Amino acid sequence: MRPLVAHIDLDALRHNYQLACRCAPQSRSVAVIKADAYGHGALECARALEAEVPAFAVASIEEALNLRSGGVTKPIILLEGIFSADELTLVDQHGFWISVHSEWQVAALLAFSPRQPIPVWLKVDSGMHRLGFSPKEAPAVWQRLASAPQVTALHLMSHFASADAREGSYFNQQMSILTGLAEQLKAPLCLANSPATLAWPAAHGDWNRPGVMLYGSDPLEVANDVTQQLRPVMSLRSEIIALRELEAGESVGYGGRWRAERRSKIAVVAAGYGDGYDRHAVDGTPVLVNGQRCAIAGKVSMDMLTVDVTDIHDAAIGSEVVLWGASIHGAVLPVDEVARYCDTISYTLLTGVLPRAPRRYHGACV
Ligand SMILES: *Cc1c(COP(=O)(O)O)cnc(C)c1O
């Protein structure tokens, strides 16, 4: 079998979730498992977390129904609410919670007769300028929903544009809008994503919404002592399938992007962009071979990539190669670091791992 496997450590997932809870002991944390749990497998992750989380968050009713049909019984919040009015029947039937960000959603909800009232998170646009009611519109919408028999457990929800930045002026601007509304409406809050959970206690509400940190990625511009305790959940591992010696001046791969400056040993690894490994990885992007750091040399191909292992003396056919995550030899290559070399973020690398890379689950609950 092809050796490329995305190993998923469900114990690390639970460890990271518990860290999120410890950051915000006064809040309850929904575990955000949208986009197939950021590429880790939504059902497996939900089952691993279900005993300790009060609720899950996903992006669509399809994702929520997939969890229900897999036997997940905890509340599930649809972060973008319904995409059409007819979804309300399923929302009611399965006990989903919904966010409400647009007038048409309010109208649909108030025209609907659920069997039991639906928990609603009213989304306010405090500065992200993507979804939600303006701070001016929000109080009137809040009053309509608060008095509607269709609605229960009404919360105010908002999303931060730059909680990951060390510089907090935009965060504080959003926060002051939200504190004003919360006081005026006596509204319970749900504001914090991972970076706000980790770095901005002022944003901790009745609920928080940590996502990427659950998977072990550090979303902060500057790491803190909590992010240093995060453990990688996905370890994308493969093996060396061929080795060759190059003379100084010879090049590797498409376009000959990497050229040997000395006699070099090149390892060919079974992993490529056809598995979701980013083709934008530059020469020098780190990988671990037998737990030792070395670097990509040459453009990533569909099924293979090439690594300079001149200084890795035990590199052999069959040697372990870690593209990100933990090595069986103990070393760790953070997905955040690989992302920087690909001019992207951990979110795209993790959600981008394609079905050709099989997921293999590890941990006490498997
Ligand atoms: C995805 C998402 C989150 C989680 O964000 P992270 O940065 O992954 O923690 C929180 N809230 C909303 C509305 C989201 O869409």
Side-chain angles (χ1 to χ4, degrees):
M1 267 169 68
R2 194 158 173 267
L4 180 75
V5 174
H7 295 270
I8 310 292
D9 179 350
L10 297 173
D11 290 335
L13 177 70
R14 284 189 295 188
H15 165 86
N16 297 336
Y17 178 75
Q18 287 157 6
L19 268 184
C21 295
R22 255 181 278 148
C23 287
Q26 316 300 331
S27 310
R28 281 175 293 174
S29 290
V30 297
V32 180
I33 56 171
K34 62 186 177 184
D36 202 25
Y38 293 51
H40 294 66
L43 207 44
E44 290 82 356
C45 291
R47 287 182 184 140
L49 290 171
E50 192 164 19
E52 43 204 303
V53 307
F56 293 106
V58 296
S60 69
I61 200 154
E62 290 86 346
E63 292 181 334
L65 290 170
N66 176 52
L67 293 171
R68 278 286 181 271
S69 56
V72 174
T73 57
K74 282 277 165 76
I76 302 171
I77 167 101
L78 311 181
L79 289 171
E80 287 151 49
I82 53 170
F83 290 85
S84 60
D86 56 0
E87 290 178 15
L88 285 169
T89 310
L90 287 167
V91 165
D92 184 34
Q93 197 177 323
H94 293 277
F96 298 145
W97 306 358
I98 54 173
S99 136
V100 167
H101 60 73
S102 291
E103 177 54 37
W104 75 264
Q105 291 178 323
V106 177
L109 181 57
L110 299 185
F112 181 65
S113 308
R115 296 176 309 178
Q116 75 255 350
I118 298 171
V120 172
W121 292 5
L122 175 61
K123 187 145 189 184
V124 181
D125 176 11
S126 58
M128 184 74 169
H129 299 147
R130 209 175 48 176
L131 290 183
F133 293 92
S134 75
K136 265 212 187 87
E137 301 166 313
V141 182
W142 177 274
Q143 302 305 353
R144 281 160 71 206
L145 292 173
S147 58
Q150 292 91 341
V151 175
T152 187
L154 187 57
H155 284 67
L156 204 61
M157 171 188 184
S158 197
H159 198 54
F160 294 112
S162 48
D164 54 322
R166 183 215 285 269
E167 202 282 308
S169 58
Y170 202 74
F171 168 84
N172 287 321
Q173 200 176 309
Q174 289 194 262
M175 206 55 228
S176 76
I177 291 171
L178 293 163
T179 335
L181 277 175
E183 273 169 27
Q184 182 189 344
L185 303 172
K186 307 267 175 295
L189 295 175
C190 177
L191 309 177
N193 54 2
S194 296
T197 300
L198 285 159
W200 301 103
H204 297 170
D206 291 68
W207 288 91
N208 292 334
R209 306 186 305 270
V212 81
M213 68 172 290
L214 307 182
Y215 308 99
S217 164
D218 177 355
L220 299 181
E221 192 176 84
V222 183
N224 67 22
D225 40 320
V226 184
T227 62
Q228 280 160 13
Q229 297 171 56
L230 292 168
R231 283 164 43 189
V233 176
M234 183 191 294
S235 296
L236 187 62
R237 295 193 201 128
S238 188
E239 290 178 4
I240 294 177
I241 59 168
L243 281 162
R244 63 221 326 94
E245 303 277 344
L246 294 195
E247 299 300 333
E250 288 185 314
S251 64
V252 177
Y254 289 114
R257 184 180 72 184
W258 187 87
R259 192 170 294 278
E261 286 176 0
R262 53 174 177 166
R263 248 185 94 78
S264 299
K265 193 164 55 162
I266 295 295
V268 181
V269 179
Y273 63 77
D275 305 297
Y277 191 88
D278 197 324
R279 206 188 69 90
H280 299 97
V282 296
D283 291 334
T285 302
V287 305
L288 303 176
V289 170
N290 289 337
Q292 303 153 87
R293 289 176 72 101
C294 45
I296 283 191
K299 285 185 184 172
V300 173
S301 316
M302 187 184 289
D303 313 311
M304 285 171 267
L305 53 81
T306 41
V307 177
D308 179 3
V309 292
T310 312
D311 299 320
I312 310 291
H313 300 297
D314 60 358
I317 289 175
S319 290
E320 181 209 56
V321 178
V322 171
L323 288 320
W324 61 71
S327 157
I328 57 169
H329 305 280
V332 170
L333 175 59
V335 65
D336 302 297
E337 189 180 344
V338 178
R340 284 192 286 276
Y341 282 87
C342 301
D343 192 23
T344 188
I345 51 177
S346 62
Y347 300 68
T348 67
L349 296 186
L350 295 171
T351 57
V353 176
L354 295 167
R356 191 170 76 174
R359 273 61 167 177
R360 196 166 299 157
Y361 292 90
H362 307 270
C365 41
V366 186

